Amino acid sequence: MEMFIQTLVAGILIGGVYALIGIGMTLIMGVMRIINLAHGQLMMVAMYITFVLYQFLNIDPYFALLVAPPALFLIGAAIQRYLLNPLIKIESIIPENQVLMTVGIGIVLTETIRFMFSSDYKSVKTSYSTATFNIGAISWNVPMVVAFILAVVLTASLFFFLLKTDVGKSVRATAQNKDAAMIMGINAEWITQLTYGLGAAMAAAGGTLLLPIYYLFPDVGGPFTLKAFIITILGGLGSAVGAIMGGLVLGVAESLGATYISMALKDAIGMVIFLLVLVFLPGGLKQLTKV
Amino acid sequence: MKSLYAKIAVLALLAVFPLFVGSDYYRHLVIIALMWVVIGASWNLLAGYTGQVSFGHAIFFGVGAYTAGLCTTQLGISAWWGMLLGGPAAMLVGILIGFICFRLRGAYFALATIAIAEILRLIAIVWRDFTEGMQGILIIQTFRSKVPYYYLALGIAVICMLLIYKIIKSKWGFYFIAIREDQDAAEALGISTFRYKSLSLMVSSFFTGLAGAFYMNYMGFIDPEVVFSLHFISIMAILVSIIGGAGTMWGPSVGAFIMVMLQELFRSSFFGYAPSWVSHAHAMAFGVLVILVIRFMANGVVGDWSKITNLWSKGKPAALVTNGN
């Protein structure tokens, strides 16, 4: 029983960070109607920025939260402006060419980082990386708890932004109906850039929070792209609340799977959930809350 | 008529190629290119004609290759049986995927294909007793010469292209295009979109699986990271089609030769003329190519042929009239 609760706790903590990364992708999905297959790779770039800050300037990973996400915001907005947006005007037979473009961007990001830092595993070993405290018989990993709390704070502020500010409302309006939003005088092109930037920044924040406990290598992005889209589908395409639930479900399922089934198949568990959702609940968790 | 002669000439050229070129290296390149002709054409039938973009053709390639490999390691029979079984096995997987995904609209199919390719890759890695895991499957090739493999690859490519040509020109082909252009309209006209999307996927997965089985027999070695690779199988299949021209009959064939050539140029650092770090950059070149092709040549060499020829005749009045962009 203790092991079960311990597993559950670990799953929920990592799930909070997954949710943060997933919301970024969901946001992009909602506004641009594309799956951003460079999501994990953008996160990976942020992790390397954090790593460089730590290694050469000795800046604590948590302070890098003030640097990496804004940097990724700019990179994301630039990608959207100069690479993804021009594609809308191009007549092509394949409808998914924006998605394909994100795959290309993902490859280029990964390879650029590989060029600069080689394929070696890196890690940020802070004094608190392995620190734990106990409540009852359950041990809590300090950086995980901090990551979870910060993820919740960031998610809450995103919600505040989306629900309470004018720009946030414009984002939601564009997601609901782009044409109607444009008629209302919203600059949809600008909103789209903002959204992609925000999505990238959310992924960046997630990556930075994970760094004290994770290894870092150029290919780390791929698995996280997959996780993010599993969360997006799990939550229901374009639903931010769904993405939070999706992130938690994925975190707990992976954690349970790693403990009770097999460590090696941990990554496959997410995929299986994805297929099950596709078959039995195609609208995602969003569907459940609506009924 | 002129284009028919051109095709016969190209085919004849390919048929006599190994008689004049003795180098195993160049024969190998053409064999691989022919294999990509098959995979590219299969992907194109599904995505370019039916509009169902797959990001996971490695599923079918890998299943075909593993079927052939497992024939030897598990059943103790020749891997050539894989040439018979690989296609149907991949098709079976295709039917299952279609059954799950084609009832849904939108990005589900594209995403499910990535997910399934990943699942299969992980299974192939983890299930060591059955698939040998990361060690991969090693078999002894039947022929030492490249020539038999060459004609086999050519034969498969010709059959595949002929069949797909027939399909495109038949009623099915028009149904496929109708589905690509507008699913609702197609449904309203009484086309069972689910059935025809599945049929398209079946043909596509069959030939990709066959190509996979051929790869096993030809290379003699497979491992999960190669045959279930997202970048070097799934994305390559997309690139082959797009660079040649998705939704055109001969585009993928042109694209296959271009892509295999480019890949080899980078892998060999432009045959040693460029500095050696170039060979490490071939994945990077791959990514840059994806971006450039989609950005500037979305309909490929064949689809944008008029645009390309216009580049040369810039300034002439006739060209300006046809240049819509």
Side-chain angles (χ1 to χ4, degrees):
Chain A
M1 193 59 201
E2 255 164 39
M3 190 165 95
F4 178 74
I5 294 174
Q6 179 75 64
T7 311
L8 212 59
V9 164
I12 290 172
L13 290 182
I14 191 84
V17 182
Y18 284 175
L20 190 62
I21 299 167
I23 288 175
M25 190 186 255
T26 298
L27 212 57
I28 295 170
M29 176 77 216
V31 173
M32 296 172 65
R33 308 261 166 248
I34 63 164
I35 281 284
N36 175 28
L37 289 180
H39 207 67
Q41 281 78 0
L42 288 165
M43 185 198 91
M44 180 267 305
V45 172
M47 287 170 98
Y48 270 94
I49 291 176
T50 309
F51 169 76
V52 167
L53 287 177
Y54 177 80
Q55 194 79 354
F56 297 105
L57 302 171
N58 234 333
I59 293 173
D60 192 89
Y62 292 121
F63 285 105
L65 269 183
L66 299 173
V67 183
L72 264 287
F73 178 87
L74 294 179
I75 294 175
I79 286 176
Q80 152 63 20
R81 175 164 191 167
Y82 296 109
L83 292 174
L84 294 173
N85 199 42
L87 297 184
I88 297 171
K89 291 164 202 129
I90 295 175
E91 284 273 319
S92 105
I93 284 180
I94 302 298
E96 268 90 352
N97 62 1
Q98 280 191 327
V99 181
L100 204 53
M101 180 63 111
T102 64
V103 174
I105 293 166
I107 297 176
V108 170
L109 289 176
T110 307
E111 294 306 318
T112 311
I113 293 290
R114 200 194 307 284
F115 239 65
M116 291 161 68
F117 297 93
S118 85
S119 294
D120 298 343
Y121 280 58
K122 306 258 196 294
S123 64
V124 169
K125 279 278 159 279
T126 52
S127 53
Y128 49 79
S129 275
T130 51
T132 52
F133 61 88
N134 288 315
I135 296 176
I138 310 298
S139 85
W140 304 68
N141 177 276
V142 174
M144 271 320 318
V145 174
V146 175
F148 181 80
I149 293 169
L150 287 177
V152 171
V153 170
L154 284 169
T155 310
S157 35
L158 180 78
F159 269 81
F160 177 79
F161 166 74
L162 287 177
L163 295 175
K164 297 292 174 196
T165 64
D166 281 350
V167 182
K169 284 176 184 166
S170 308
V171 171
R172 286 193 299 144
T174 314
Q176 272 175 16
N177 189 332
K178 197 174 170 185
D179 293 330
M182 281 164 81
I183 292 169
M184 295 301 151
I186 292 170
N187 185 346
E189 210 160 291
W190 186 76
I191 291 292
T192 320
Q193 279 163 31
L194 175 83
T195 308
Y196 198 89
L198 261 183
M202 299 299 274
T208 304
L209 289 174
L210 281 176
L211 201 52
I213 26 170
Y214 246 75
Y215 286 102
L216 180 57
F217 53 104
D219 289 314
V220 78
F224 276 94
T225 301
L226 293 173
K227 282 195 215 307
F229 93 58
I230 292 166
I231 293 167
T232 308
I233 297 285
L234 200 58
L237 298 170
S239 154
V241 181
I244 295 176
M245 292 191 282
L248 292 175
V249 168
L250 181 66
V252 170
E254 275 190 5
S255 183
L256 289 176
T259 310
Y260 292 104
I261 301 172
S262 140
M263 195 67 199
L265 281 172
K266 191 182 128 202
D267 286 333
I269 287 159
M271 307 292 170
V272 173
I273 293 180
F274 169 78
L275 288 182
L276 290 177
V277 169
L278 219 53
V279 178
F280 296 109
L281 196 71
L285 293 170
K286 184 174 70 171
Q287 211 180 20
L288 292 181
T289 54
K290 259 189 185 164
V291 174
Chain B
M1 226 41 227
K2 209 169 110 192
S3 67
L4 180 67
Y5 289 135
K7 271 153 216 154
I8 291 173
V10 170
L11 190 61
L13 201 68
L14 282 171
V16 297
F17 174 82
L19 305 179
F20 291 100
V21 178
S23 152
D24 272 353
Y25 175 66
Y26 290 110
R27 285 176 181 171
H28 169 75
L29 287 186
V30 179
I31 292 173
I32 294 297
L34 286 169
M35 186 187 89
W36 279 107
V37 167
V38 175
I39 302 170
S42 311
W43 187 88
N44 186 40
L45 179 72
L46 183 64
Y49 281 101
T50 324
Q52 307 303 309
V53 177
S54 149
F55 281 83
H57 253 50
I59 298 168
F60 312 120
F61 186 80
V63 166
Y66 264 95
T67 307
L70 292 174
C71 277
T72 306
T73 57
Q74 292 296 319
L75 300 175
I77 55 176
S78 161
W80 289 107
W81 286 100
M83 299 293 286
L84 280 180
L85 300 173
M91 192 160 86
L92 210 66
V93 176
I95 292 170
L96 270 173
I97 295 173
F99 186 73
I100 296 173
C101 301
F102 281 158
R103 294 171 305 152
L104 306 165
R105 290 286 177 83
Y108 291 108
F109 177 69
L111 296 178
T113 49
I114 303 183
I116 292 164
E118 280 296 299
I119 293 176
L120 288 177
R121 187 175 65 89
L122 286 167
I123 289 175
I125 291 172
V126 173
W127 198 2
R128 271 188 217 98
D129 303 334
F130 188 61
T131 62
E132 318 278 333
M134 282 300 282
Q135 232 181 340
I137 294 177
L138 184 71
I139 60 165
I140 311 292
Q141 285 136 300
T142 315
F143 309 108
R144 287 191 61 197
S145 157
K146 300 262 180 209
V147 177
Y149 293 110
Y150 181 92
Y151 284 109
L152 187 61
L154 186 62
I156 295 173
V158 168
I159 292 170
C160 171
M161 292 310 287
L162 276 179
L163 195 82
I164 287 180
Y165 183 77
K166 283 279 173 216
I167 290 175
I168 298 296
K169 293 291 167 203
S170 75
K171 223 174 183 176
W172 281 21
F174 291 100
Y175 288 166
F176 289 168
I177 293 171
I179 290 170
R180 179 188 77 196
E181 293 299 322
D182 192 333
Q183 277 201 48
D184 294 312
E187 192 85 47
L189 287 172
I191 300 171
S192 164
T193 54
F194 174 71
R195 181 196 297 164
Y196 284 97
K197 282 191 283 188
S198 299
L199 281 173
S200 174
L201 177 59
M202 277 163 70
V203 177
S204 183
S205 54
F206 178 85
F207 278 110
T208 311
L210 188 63
F214 170 79
Y215 183 84
M216 173 80 248
N217 277 296
Y218 172 57
M219 298 300 279
F221 174 73
I222 53 167
D223 76 36
E225 298 292 347
V226 173
V227 296
F228 287 117
S229 159
L230 172 66
H231 288 176
F232 295 109
I233 305 293
S234 298
I235 303 294
M236 176 86 168
I238 300 175
L239 262 188
V240 157
S241 307
I242 289 201
I243 206 168
T248 62
M249 182 62 215
W250 305 103
S253 314
V254 177
F257 278 88
I258 294 176
M259 276 310 292
V260 169
M261 197 175 72
L262 278 178
Q263 210 179 32
E264 197 55 32
L265 277 178
F266 272 95
R267 196 166 283 170
S268 64
S269 307
F270 292 85
F271 298 112
Y273 290 114
S276 63
W277 57 262
V278 171
S279 66
H280 298 294
H282 87 262
M284 169 82 91
F286 207 74
V288 172
L289 199 67
V290 175
I291 293 176
L292 290 180
V293 167
I294 297 170
R295 178 71 183 79
F296 297 108
M297 230 171 52
N299 295 315
V301 176
V302 175
D304 279 339
W305 185 245
S306 59
K307 216 160 133 187
I308 296 168
T309 47
N310 270 349
L311 285 179
W312 271 274
S313 50
K314 233 180 201 163
K316 290 176 192 165
L320 284 173
V321 174
T322 49
N323 192 348
N325 300 322

